């Protein structure tokens, strides 16, 4: 799915700002035709969660309506007109001028509809988007699951989620209107490879509309200007460009080429789309992860999209702040735990040369009733995630789940299916599962590398770091002996209340968090088959209410407002060597 871009053939109108907003707890809106407009709305900011913008929506997971009037410029006459929502958590239904357009399930990936025959060009229009985030065991991620399927009876959370972050709700990313020509470039897929100094760029282009049987593809860089005529067979054109003496994309040198596709008819160029591409390869070879044929080690974090007031909403300044802190600390990588992050953040990751484990929102999975439906949803999310992020050089691994409760036999089939589904969509990247079961995880055999979350010294062996590190060391050795694959420790850490100190270190103090992280990094970095260390977590973040959470999960090495704890300074010494 291409991101809306403006050029001489295409226009974009960002509707971000204030929308009309009205709660619909009794779900009467559709019957009462709210899609044609309704009285009694208040203003709400988009993009942003609704939970912290008002006092009566904090834990509201029910149905709410968004309304926006907009004027479509006459210049859009004769074009195809589209409506695109960057993400709406969890389920959205869309109307334009009172006419139903479509619906989408899943709260962290974009969806779009062609609305040409529903809008008035050169006149005023209105969109209505109804969003709800009801927690259900047959949704992904799940909530309100039956007691027999709960990971532990102690886990009484409010709202009753089966995962450890707050279920922020609403329209979290931009709502765009955009236009394309009637004959247009629908999608571009780029897969790169390297052969000695050569850069290989394989492209696949899909067009729509009867006109435009041919076109051109251009690749431009500092020292190169290539172009090639393309021939469509039906709607598809494929081909290869080879860059002699290429500049490869890497964390040290995130170099971009500009790839431009032009669609032509007898009248000349009828559509154009450009995207920045990085030439690089990623593969598992033996015990290591190889970027551009060289072994790499991932240093970084599990993160969340989370901040006061905006909740999970897109915020450009926060994205820039987080990357500046990750560069300051010497990180080169992060995981989009536990859901796809904004396209805007992925673009900056490309530019800053970060390496990303890109994860679908399959957290808190369990294998009781509804397993088939959850599998269908996970496959949909993989389709949408890979369609959205496949051209990002920063994305190096797909993660199909975080910490599934996969002790039941049906989990094996579930993950074999998901692994194969991801590979069929993109064979150019390794696919993983982030496990908490470790040696007891039944499906690790299917995955290209192992990602493990471990909290010895926190949830078990509290305060006993020698014992904790011994257990970690033993388990990593055993896991590698069985699977003979690279292992990334994708979560480890400890809660620390900023400003709380103890000497010698004790749980919940900054000293204990720093000491645990230091000792874990020593164990991980002592093993040749370890491909990375991701601390949990980059910054404190909001969770559901729970007797073990003082409003926030406090395992961040930064506070929620991004102030460094002792552990941040320690990590800077370990990772940035200063
Ligand atoms: C798990 C889980 C995280 C959670 C963390 C914790 O590993 O993946 O989402 O926040 O544990 O308990 O802090």
């Amino acid at each position: 799915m291409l991101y809306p871009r403006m050029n001489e053939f295409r226009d974009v109108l960002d509707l971000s700002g204030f929308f009309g907003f009205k709660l619909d707890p009794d779900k009467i809106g559709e019957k009462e035709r709210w899609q044609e407009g309704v009285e009694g709305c208040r203003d709400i900011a988009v993009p942003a969660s609704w939970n912290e913008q008002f006092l009566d929506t904090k834990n509201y997971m029910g149905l709410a309506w968004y309304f926006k009037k907009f004027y479509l410029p006459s210049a859009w006459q004769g074009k195809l007109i589209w409506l695109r929502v960057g993400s709406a958590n969890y389920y959205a239904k869309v109307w334009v001028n009172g006419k139903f357009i479509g619906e989408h399930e899943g709260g962290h990936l974009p969806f779009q509809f062609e609305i040409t025959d529903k809008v008035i060009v050169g006149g005023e229009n209105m969109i209505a988007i109804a969003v709800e985030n009801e927690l259900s065991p047959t949704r992904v991620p799940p909530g309100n699951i039956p007691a027999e399927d709960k990971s532990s009876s102690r886990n009484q959370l409010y709202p009753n989620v089966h995962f450890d972050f707050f279920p922020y709700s609403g329209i979290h990313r931009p709502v765009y209107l955009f236009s394309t020509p009637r004959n247009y470039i629908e999608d571009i897929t780029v897969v790169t490879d390297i052969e000695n100094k050569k850069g290989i760029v394989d492209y696949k282009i899909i067009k729509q509309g009867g006109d435009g049987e041919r076109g051109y593809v251009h690749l431009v860089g500092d020292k190169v200007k290539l172009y090639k005529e393309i021939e469509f067979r039906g709607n598809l054109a494929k081909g290869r460009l080879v860059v002699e003496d290429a500049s490869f994309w890497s964390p040290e040198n995130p170099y971009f080429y500009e790839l431009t596709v032009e669609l032509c008819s007898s009248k000349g160029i009828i559509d154009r789309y450009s995207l920045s591409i990085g030439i690089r390869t990623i593969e598992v070879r033996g015990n290591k992860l190889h970027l551009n044929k060289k072994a790499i080690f991932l240093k970084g974090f599990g993160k969340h999209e989370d901040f006061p007031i905006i909740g999970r909403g897109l915020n450009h300044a926060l994205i820039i702040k987080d990357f500046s802190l990750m560069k300051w600390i010497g990180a080169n990588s992060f995981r989009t735990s536990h859901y796809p992050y904004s396209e805007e953040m992925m673009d900056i990751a490309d530019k800053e040369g970060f390496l990303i484990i890109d994860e679908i929102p399959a957290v808190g999975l369990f294998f009781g009733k509804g397993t088939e439906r959850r599998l269908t949803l996970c496959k949909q999310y993989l389709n949408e995630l890979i369609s959205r992020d496949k051209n990002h050089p920063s994305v190096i691994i797909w993660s199909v789940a975080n910490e599934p409760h996969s002790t039941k036999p049906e989990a094996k089939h579930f993950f074999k299916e998901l692994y194969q589904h991801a590979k069929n969509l993109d064979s150019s990247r390794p696919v993983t599962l982030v496990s908490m079961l470790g040696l007891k995880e039944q499906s690790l055999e299917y995955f290209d590398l192992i990602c493990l979350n471990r909290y010895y010294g926190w949830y078990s062996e509290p305060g006993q770091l020698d014992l904790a590190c011994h257990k970690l060391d033993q388990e990593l050795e055993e896991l590698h002996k069985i699977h003979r694959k690279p292992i990334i420790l994708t979560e480890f850490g400890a809660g620390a209340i900023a400003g709380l100190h103890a000497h010698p270190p004790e749980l919940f103090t900054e000293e204990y968090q720093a000491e645990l992280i230091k000792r874990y990094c020593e164990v991980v970095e002592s093993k040749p088959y370890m491909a990375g260390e991701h601390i949990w977590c980059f910054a404190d973040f909001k969770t559901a209410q729970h007797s073990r959470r003082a409003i926030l999960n406090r395992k961040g090495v930064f506070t929620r407002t991004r102030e460094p704890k002792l552990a941040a300074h320690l990590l800077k010494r370990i990772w940035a060597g200063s």
Side-chain angles (χ1 to χ4, degrees):
M1 175 189 266
L2 298 177
Y3 191 81
R5 299 253 185 253
M6 199 180 274
N7 63 28
E8 62 268 50
F9 303 98
R10 294 161 170 252
D11 274 311
V12 181
L13 188 57
D14 182 353
L15 296 184
S16 299
F18 298 116
F19 278 60
F21 183 68
K22 188 177 175 82
L23 301 182
D24 185 8
D26 303 321
K27 300 185 185 173
I28 57 168
E30 203 168 333
K31 203 161 57 305
E32 291 192 355
R33 311 284 309 156
W34 290 12
Q35 54 270 34
E36 292 160 5
V38 65
E39 295 303 316
C41 289
R42 49 182 138 171
D43 286 317
I44 191 169
V46 169
S49 305
W50 68 51
N51 307 82
E52 295 177 18
Q53 292 192 51
F54 311 103
L55 296 180
D56 62 338
T57 53
K58 183 101 179 192
N59 296 304
Y60 182 73
M61 303 283 128
L63 186 61
W65 289 69
Y66 289 81
F67 303 93
K68 184 85 176 189
K69 288 188 174 144
F70 61 91
Y71 187 92
L72 259 190
S74 318
W76 290 33
Q77 192 62 50
K79 304 254 186 177
L80 290 181
I81 295 165
W82 305 80
L83 173 67
R84 185 189 205 264
V85 179
S87 95
N89 197 29
Y90 171 88
Y91 198 102
K93 293 176 84 167
V94 181
W95 291 263
V96 172
N97 296 331
K99 299 179 196 85
F100 180 69
I101 296 294
E103 52 197 313
H104 180 267
E105 177 168 3
H108 305 88
L109 286 159
F111 52 97
Q112 64 186 39
F113 304 108
E114 197 238 297
I115 58 172
T116 312
D117 58 357
K118 304 282 190 315
V119 287
I120 304 153
V121 178
E124 189 175 75
N125 301 272
M126 185 182 78
I127 52 171
I129 305 176
V131 182
E132 52 85 356
N133 187 17
E134 288 166 11
L135 302 174
S136 159
T138 55
R139 287 184 161 184
V140 174
N144 280 336
I145 73 172
E148 64 272 19
D149 286 317
K150 269 197 178 300
S151 51
S152 105
S153 58
R154 282 178 304 122
N155 265 348
Q156 295 313 316
L157 296 96
Y158 177 69
N160 189 14
V161 291
H162 199 234
F163 44 84
D164 188 35
F165 54 92
F166 190 81
Y168 280 114
S169 314
I171 300 179
H172 287 150
R173 295 172 194 156
V175 178
Y176 288 126
L177 290 162
F178 68 94
S179 73
T180 63
R182 289 193 169 277
N183 301 287
Y184 64 100
I185 298 156
E186 181 184 59
D187 199 19
I188 302 169
T189 303
V190 173
V191 178
T192 62
D193 197 351
I194 66 175
E195 283 169 15
N196 300 320
K197 286 184 165 294
K198 279 185 190 170
I200 311 295
V201 178
D202 289 330
Y203 54 81
K204 190 169 81 174
I205 300 156
I206 298 174
K207 74 171 180 79
Q208 291 300 343
D211 211 350
E213 324 62 53
R214 59 188 185 78
Y216 291 93
V217 60
H218 303 259
L219 188 77
V220 177
D222 292 343
K223 301 172 290 182
V224 70
K225 214 171 173 145
L226 302 176
Y227 83 92
K228 201 173 181 180
E229 187 160 359
I230 52 178
E231 194 79 28
F232 284 93
R233 296 199 189 311
N235 285 346
L236 176 66
K238 292 198 283 194
R240 169 173 289 192
L241 290 168
V242 177
V243 181
E244 304 294 339
D245 194 18
S247 296
F248 301 141
W249 184 93
S250 71
E252 299 71 32
N253 177 26
Y255 184 84
F256 282 113
Y257 291 88
E258 180 158 276
L259 183 101
T260 297
V261 175
E262 290 172 338
L263 182 61
C264 303
S265 73
S266 52
K267 299 187 216 72
I269 301 173
I270 53 177
D271 193 15
R272 177 183 292 125
Y273 193 92
S274 296
L275 70 159
S276 301
I277 65 157
I279 298 178
R280 64 111 183 92
T281 60
I282 184 75
E283 55 197 327
V284 168
R285 282 166 62 190
N287 280 332
K288 280 293 181 190
L289 199 49
H290 284 244
L291 178 82
N292 300 336
K293 317 276 187 201
K294 289 197 213 82
I296 51 165
F297 186 81
L298 305 187
K299 304 177 294 183
F301 300 95
K303 285 181 96 286
H304 267 295
E305 286 187 321
D306 171 280
F307 203 71
I309 312 299
I310 61 173
R312 187 134 298 126
L314 170 69
N315 182 289
H316 294 83
L318 187 59
I319 290 174
I320 296 302
K321 178 71 173 181
D322 281 3
F323 276 101
S324 64
L325 288 174
M326 287 195 283
K327 285 192 294 183
W328 168 80
I329 210 167
N332 65 8
S333 165
F334 61 90
R335 173 168 56 121
T336 70
S337 38
H338 299 297
Y339 39 78
Y341 293 1
S342 67
E343 292 158 287
E344 293 76 8
M345 175 169 223
M346 304 303 279
D347 285 342
I348 301 294
D350 289 343
K351 287 181 188 170
E352 296 292 351
F354 273 74
L355 302 167
I356 295 180
I357 301 175
D358 208 356
E359 186 161 279
I360 60 168
V363 56
L365 288 177
F366 66 100
F367 295 87
K369 211 161 50 67
T371 294
E372 272 317 301
R373 165 140 172 73
R374 287 189 295 276
L375 177 58
T376 305
L377 269 173
C378 287
K379 287 182 177 178
Q380 172 204 319
Y381 293 161
L382 278 172
N383 295 344
E384 294 177 355
L385 177 66
I386 293 173
S387 164
R388 188 194 80 165
D389 288 355
K390 62 194 174 204
N391 295 329
H392 286 286
S394 56
V395 175
I396 58 165
I397 298 171
W398 303 115
S399 165
V400 302
N402 178 72
E403 296 201 349
H405 300 270
S406 40
T407 47
K408 294 185 177 174
E410 49 270 54
K412 208 167 159 102
H413 163 73
F414 189 100
F415 288 115
K416 186 176 180 184
E417 283 270 305
L418 268 195
Y419 173 80
Q420 205 44 61
H421 191 78
K423 276 307 198 196
N424 293 343
L425 291 166
D426 175 16
S427 59
S428 75
R429 292 178 173 91
V431 177
T432 194
L433 162 84
V434 178
S435 172
M436 68 175 159
L437 298 180
L439 295 164
K440 298 192 196 85
E441 190 76 64
Q442 310 171 61
S443 47
L444 289 184
E445 63 189 271
Y446 303 128
F447 292 93
D448 298 316
L449 72 163
I450 292 172
C451 288
L452 180 71
N453 297 346
R454 272 294 167 267
Y455 289 97
Y456 300 125
W458 179 256
Y459 289 121
S460 60
E461 301 80 28
Q464 306 148 71
L465 287 182
D466 291 345
L467 176 57
C469 290
H470 173 70
K471 289 184 79 165
L472 174 70
D473 192 304
Q474 293 299 304
E475 182 172 22
L476 292 177
E477 287 296 305
E478 260 186 83
L479 209 48
H480 182 255
K481 199 160 64 188
I482 296 167
H483 293 287
R484 297 278 164 212
K485 294 173 186 172
I487 301 174
I488 299 171
L489 198 59
T490 28
E491 288 189 26
F492 60 98
I497 296 170
L500 196 61
H501 298 280
H503 182 61
E506 291 189 41
L507 260 64
F508 287 105
T509 62
E510 292 190 39
E511 285 79 7
Y512 188 80
Q513 179 190 45
E515 186 60 21
L516 181 145
I517 288 171
K518 175 172 169 289
R519 297 285 301 276
Y520 264 63
C521 289
E522 285 164 358
V523 172
V524 170
E525 292 166 19
S526 70
K527 299 189 179 298
Y529 53 77
M530 292 304 292
E533 56 198 17
H534 276 185
I535 282 103
W536 190 260
C537 182
F538 173 74
D540 295 347
F541 61 92
K542 185 150 182 55
T543 67
Q545 293 179 66
H546 183 287
S547 53
R548 281 193 314 195
R549 293 282 182 263
I551 300 186
L552 305 178
N553 179 314
R554 297 181 188 267
K555 295 191 183 71
V557 302
F558 294 92
T559 66
R560 196 180 190 204
T561 49
R562 277 50 181 180
E563 304 306 333
K565 300 177 189 175
L566 196 58
H569 296 287
L570 162 88
L571 278 168
K572 179 170 170 52
R573 284 197 299 279
I574 298 175
W575 286 346
S578 62

